[in-house]
Amino acid sequence: MQELMTHSVLDMFGVSRPGEEPQICCAAPLSPEVTREVFGAECPTRADYEGAIDVMWDVIQDRGYGCYVVLYRDNVPDEIAFFGVTGD
């Protein structure tokens, strides 16, 4: 499997639904509670995301798992940020 994977967000084959147990090689949304805890807001901005670089990795379960969070600009969804840990 190591030779077949890119070890990047491209290796995420699907998306886990809110409230589901996160699955390997799937990106999972953060709950509102975790989003607030990690980014300091339920509707985080890019600045909130960049300010949480050191702590956001604590929500990753294990290698091969990813998370995503919607980032807002002027209280409107603007970007989707992915983060995770590769399988290697």
Side-chain angles (χ1 to χ4, degrees):
M1 187 168 174
Q2 285 180 325
E3 291 78 27
L4 301 175
M5 307 295 277
T6 66
H7 301 286
S8 72
V9 71
L10 298 176
D11 294 333
M12 294 290 119
F13 300 128
V15 176
S16 298
R17 297 179 197 271
E20 274 186 349
E21 185 70 26
Q23 301 201 15
I24 194 162
C25 292
C26 287
L30 297 179
S31 70
E33 296 81 20
V34 171
T35 301
R36 204 172 30 255
E37 179 183 325
V38 172
F39 301 105
E42 209 166 303
C43 298
T45 64
R46 174 168 276 283
D48 295 329
Y49 179 81
E50 290 172 353
I53 292 291
D54 292 335
V55 296
M56 66 186 190
W57 302 104
D58 295 338
V59 301
I60 302 292
Q61 284 193 339
D62 204 354
R63 294 191 175 282
Y65 289 86
C67 294
Y68 70 88
V69 61
V70 176
L71 303 180
Y72 292 76
R73 182 186 304 186
D74 299 325
N75 295 317
V76 176
D78 186 56
E79 298 180 80
I80 300 174
F82 290 88
F83 59 102
V85 180
T86 64
D88 60 353

